[in-house]
């Protein structure tokens, strides 16, 4: 009897201990069972939303092969242990990083200044500034842009390396544009804009960049806000629903405003959102309204007038387009506004639009990464399987957006596109690593940031650009047409110094990241309408009959608030 | 002799055995006690004491985000900031509205339903299952089901597929979320109240019935006083939750809940949960200050509510 009692007590204890440690083990890497004790391991965590997993899995295999003779005591060779998980986003990572066994993280939405100040991240200065990878013959720092050098240096030290670039914006179905004659023609209309093409062979307008590209590139796309609004109206009369987005995350609608605003603000104005300085360049500032018409003055922004970043005319016109879209159900896919309608539902609806009697949808509000997400979710595979004869009609592209408020852009008078990367994606190293591991971590990261691997990243991720400078032109022909449309815009923006990253060393930015970062769900987009009623986004405000003008005024920062709260 | 010798030798040994075994038993009991208590104590120390102490410290600190030198003393700066920046009016209004509706419909409704079940009126068993089902399924899943029902089924029922999905219709959001909260609040309350009611002496009920008591009077003058302690517990929990109740808004909208329906509880939760996008770890200092401020208000209110309910509530004796 005693034996049975003892046995049952032992079993209970074992079960309890097993249960506890079992659940604790569940928090660790999924593949601990295949650890090779003869090799040295590196533990890598990867946020796998947007750009996925394949790039890292393949790069890790190449690294293991290259370092198969790496000696560490009695061990030879390296094993890269990877955990792919969406829980490794930069927002929630601070909750677990200090007790986490992972050494390297590839993540996004990192509040860099907070990570550094809180001591979460390892000092990577030597890795960034010294030549580690002899094959590459370059330092990682030499691949940083000037903006990055200034934004990432904290007391001369670097704690992160930019990971990838993602851009908010709109994608359009060029197949629908062609089918429904939604492109602007080269002929002028009486209202100062262009007429629409009457058939696919009509010569298209020169588009927002003011350069004729044989009907390709941005040719025929709206070059002004007036034309963009005209396009929305044309779509609704042509049985095309202009927009679809996810109702589950209504903040995605801010991507429409962000992308339009940035293109109107220009590189200097868009960059000033983070640096509070246009370097002497004058940008369009709204000083008041004459009725509903904005009064615009040109003014440079600097440290003392930083509050003007939220008075830029581009922001108002971005809001005005969104107001137009939200204020009529004809302008958007109504079932898509349900809180049960996810980003994947929106992508699927966009991709399958027009097929099998479904309504045509012209544009999708989502970042450029949506294409990879849809691919991972087998949306394109389903498209090919289910519509083998008609899927080729699909011609999805990332949309170049208008660069002026009214009229039309004429040849030679266009402006370059502006792209804003507001996803703050970085590679970081856990501050709690075993110091003996650092040499290997250095090798791994420098390997991943070699030119060859950077190019491979762009190829594997179908056109996603790594967040540092390198030549990705060799990848262009290996990615599909959607990715090419993104790369074209990125190349054009970069060449015109109109590529902007939401990072800055400016004290106001570092101390108030949540208020100035342009993530679509950031506080930046909130408005205190009439000084009394707070709205988290324009979508909810328009339903309460709030105008773009009132919303814009509610988003503004007064000079007094700037001086008392921000620029102290 | 040998036997005596044996007995003499054995007797003190047996006593020692007894003492040893008593000490061992005591020691084993102590080990068992420690083993059983270690986890709860550790949990209390880490998840209650440490967390709250840390919040207290954070409320008076600020991260040096420019120099990167970590936390520094900030005095009352975080408190000043939250009073300037938080939209207190709407948050308090929504929290109070939720509290009043939950009190009026959630608590009163739960007592009525429990009484109905207690009296074994027709369909009481199925009624119990319907009311308790939201607690069998996780709230997140139930919120999703409710969402689907409201957004998909209602447009289909009214025959308007182009109807704006109600849960994203700003004129319905508050009503929709409050109905959900009242519904999910019934489960535990009904279970507890009907459990407490089943303990009421049959003779007390019968004597009331002999005197011709109506069901409403029976509920008010016999049943309610008999379950008063349970009722008070729920009421105090409700008062305690005024500032922490997030109205399941995160389950419906994530960090995107429309501002005009946000409660104080949701605001705090969303800010912490959404981290760097909506706020930032750097904002934890201000959020800690906000939490402390709310605690300072909630503690006396809760204690006063408990005092009043115990002092002025009905007595069964």
């Amino acid at each position: 009897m005693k034996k049975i009692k003892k046995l049952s007590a032992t079993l209970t204890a074992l079960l309890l201990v097993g249960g506890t440690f079992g659940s604790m083990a569940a928090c660790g890497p999924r593949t601990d069972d295949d650890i090779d004790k003869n090799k040295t391991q590196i533990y890598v965590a990867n946020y796998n939303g947007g750009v996925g997993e394949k790039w890292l899995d393949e790069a890790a295999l190449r690294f293991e092969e290259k370092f198969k003779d790496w000696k560490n005591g009695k061990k030879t060779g390296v094993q890269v242990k990877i955990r792919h998980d969406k829980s490794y986003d930069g927002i929630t990572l601070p909750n677990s990083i200090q007790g986490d066994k992972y050494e390297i993280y590839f993540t996004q939405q990192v509040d860099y200044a907070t990570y550094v100040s809180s001591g979460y991240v390892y000092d990577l200065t030597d890795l960034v500034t010294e030549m580690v990878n002899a094959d590459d013959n370059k330092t990682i720092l030499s691949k940083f842009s000037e903006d990055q050098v200034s934004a990432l240096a904290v007391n001369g030290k670097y704690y992160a390396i930019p990971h990838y670039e993602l851009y908010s914006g709109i994608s359009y179905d060029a197949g629908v544009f062609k089918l429904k004659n939604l492109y602007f023609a080269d002929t002028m209309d009486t209202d100062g804009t262009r007429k629409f093409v009457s058939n696919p062979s009509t010569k298209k307008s020169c588009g927002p960049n003011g350069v004729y590209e044989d009907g390709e590139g941005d040719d025929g796309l709206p070059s002004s806000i007036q034309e963009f609004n005209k396009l929305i109206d044309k779509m609704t009369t042509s049985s095309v629903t202009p927009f679809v987005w996810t109702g589950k995350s209504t903040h995605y609608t801010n991507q429409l405003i962000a992308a339009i605003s940035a293109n109107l603000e220009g590189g200097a104005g868009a960059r000033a959102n983070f640096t509070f300085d246009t370097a002497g360049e004058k940008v369009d500032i709204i000083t008041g309204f004459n009725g509903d018409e904005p009064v615009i003055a040109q003014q440079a922004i600097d440290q003392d007038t930083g509050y003007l970043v939220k008075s830029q005319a581009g922001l108002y016109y971005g809001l005005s387009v969104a107001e137009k879209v939200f204020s009529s159900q004809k302008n958007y896919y109504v079932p898509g506004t349900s809180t049960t309608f996810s980003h994947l539902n929106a992508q699927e609806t966009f991709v399958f639009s027009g097929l099998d009697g479904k309504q045509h949808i012209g544009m999708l509000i989502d970042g450029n990464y949506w294409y990879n997400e849809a691919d991972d979710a087998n949306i394109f595979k389903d498209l090919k399987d289910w519509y083998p004869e008609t899927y080729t009609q699909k011609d999805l592209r990332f949309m170049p957006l208008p660069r002026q408020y009214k009229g039309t852009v004429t040849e030679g008078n266009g402006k370059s596109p502006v792209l804003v990367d507001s996803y703050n994606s970085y590679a970081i190293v856990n501050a709690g690593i075993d110091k003996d591991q650092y040499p290997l971590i250095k090798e791994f990261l420098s390997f991943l940031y070699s030119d060859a691997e950077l190019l491979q990243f762009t190829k594997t991720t179908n056109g996603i650009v790594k967040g540092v400078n390198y030549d990705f032109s060799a990848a262009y022909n290996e990615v599909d047409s959607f990715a090419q449309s993104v790369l074209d815009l990125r190349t054009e923006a970069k060449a015109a110094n109109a590529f902007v990253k939401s990072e800055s060393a400016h004290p106001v930015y570092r101390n108030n990241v949540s208020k100035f970062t342009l993530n679509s769900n950031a506080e930046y987009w909130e408005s205190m309408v009439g000084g009394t009623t707070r709205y988290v986004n324009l979508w909810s405000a328009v339903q309460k009959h709030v105008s773009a003008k009132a919303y814009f005024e509610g988003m503004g920062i007064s000079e007094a608030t700037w001086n008392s709260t921000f620029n102290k | 002799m040998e036997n005596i010798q044996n007995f003499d030798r054995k007797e003190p040994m047996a006593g020692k055995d007894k003492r040893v075994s008593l000490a061992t038993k005591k020691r084993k009991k102590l080990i068992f006690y420690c083993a059983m208590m270690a986890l709860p104590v550790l949990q209390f120390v880490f998840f209650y004491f440490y967390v709250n102490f840390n919040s207290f410290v954070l409320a008076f600190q600020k991260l040096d985000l420019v120099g990167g030198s970590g936390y520094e003393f900030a005095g009352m700066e975080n408190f000043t900031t939250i009073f300037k920046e938080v939209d207190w009016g709407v948050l308090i209004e929504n929290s109070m509205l939720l509290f009043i509706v939950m009190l009026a419909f959630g608590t009163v409704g739960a007592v009525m339903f429990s009484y109905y079940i207690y009296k074994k009126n027709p369909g009481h068993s199925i009624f119990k299952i319907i009311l308790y089902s939201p607690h069998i399924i996780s709230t997140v899943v139930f919120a999703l089901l409710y969402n689907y029902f409201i957004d998909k089924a209602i447009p289909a029922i009214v025959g308007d597929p182009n109807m704006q999905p109600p849960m994203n219709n700003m004129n319905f959001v508050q009503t929709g979320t409050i109905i959900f909260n009242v519904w999910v609040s019934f489960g535990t309350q009904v279970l507890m109240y009907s459990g407490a009611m089943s303990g009421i002496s049959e003779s007390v009920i019968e004597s009331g019935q002999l005197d011709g008591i109506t069901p409403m009077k029976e509920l008010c003058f016999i049943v309610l006083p008999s379950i008063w302690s349970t009722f008070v517990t729920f009421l105090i929990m409700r008062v305690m939750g005024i500032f922490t109740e997030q109205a399941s808004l995160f389950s419906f909208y994530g960090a995107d809940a429309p501002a005009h329906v946000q409660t104080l509880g949701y605001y705090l939760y969303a800010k912490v949960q959404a981290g760097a996008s909506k706020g930032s770890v750097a904002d934890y200092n201000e959020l800690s200050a906000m939490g402390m401020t709310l605690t300072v208000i909630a503690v006396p209110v809760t204690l006063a509510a408990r005092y009043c309910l115990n002092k002025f509530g009905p007595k069964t004796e």
Side-chain angles (χ1 to χ4, degrees), chain A residues 91 111 114 117 155 247 249-251 329 332 334 337-339 510 514-515 521-523 534 539-540 543-544, chain B residues 64-65 67-68 70 85 87 147 151 162 164-165 168-171 253 256 259 262 271 274 277-278 280-281 283:
Chain A
I91 299 168
D111 179 356
T114 302
S117 294
N155 296 326
S249 306
T250 50
H251 63 82
Q329 291 195 349
Y332 56 87
V334 177
T337 59
S338 165
T339 48
R510 280 202 177 157
S514 56
K515 291 185 176 64
N521 58 346
E523 263 183 50
R534 186 171 68 100
W539 161 252
S540 54
Q543 289 188 55
K544 290 283 189 182
Chain B
D64 170 23
L65 295 164
E85 292 193 0
D87 188 9
N147 227 342
D151 276 5
N162 271 333
Q164 181 73 51
N168 228 335
N169 180 334
M170 297 305 130
N171 298 315
Y253 302 100
D256 269 353
Q262 290 184 8
K271 280 274 191 182
S277 58
K278 270 284 189 205
S280 142
V281 176
D283 290 345

Side-chain angles (χ1 to χ4, degrees), chain B residues 131-143:
Chain B
L131 290 171
Y132 197 71
S133 62
H135 283 262
I136 297 168
I137 308 164
S138 102
T139 313
V140 177
V141 176
F142 198 71

Side-chain angles (χ1 to χ4, degrees), chain A residues 277-296:
Chain A
D277 194 345
T278 55
E281 192 175 321
K282 289 184 175 174
V283 292
D284 289 351
I285 303 293
I286 292 183
T287 55
F289 283 85
N290 187 3
D292 282 337
E293 198 60 31
V295 178
I296 297 173

Side-chain angles (χ1 to χ4, degrees), chain A residues 59-98:
Chain A
L61 288 176
R62 288 190 292 272
F63 180 75
E64 285 174 351
E65 174 59 25
K66 189 177 176 187
F67 281 77
K68 63 184 177 201
D69 300 324
W70 170 270
K71 294 277 182 203
N72 178 21
K74 289 178 182 171
K75 295 180 177 181
T76 306
V78 178
Q79 191 180 21
V80 182
K81 301 295 299 174
I82 303 169
R83 182 168 182 188
H84 302 288
D85 204 314
K86 286 198 174 63
S87 67
Y88 280 111
D89 65 281
I91 299 168
T92 48
L93 188 56
N95 298 331
S96 59
I97 191 169
Q98 285 177 310

Side-chain angles (χ1 to χ4, degrees), chain A residues 411-429:
Chain A
E411 188 176 12
N413 294 312
K415 290 175 188 166
S416 67
V418 178
L419 270 189
V420 180
D421 169 16
S422 54
Y423 289 85
N424 304 98
S425 171
Y426 296 103
I428 51 172
V429 173

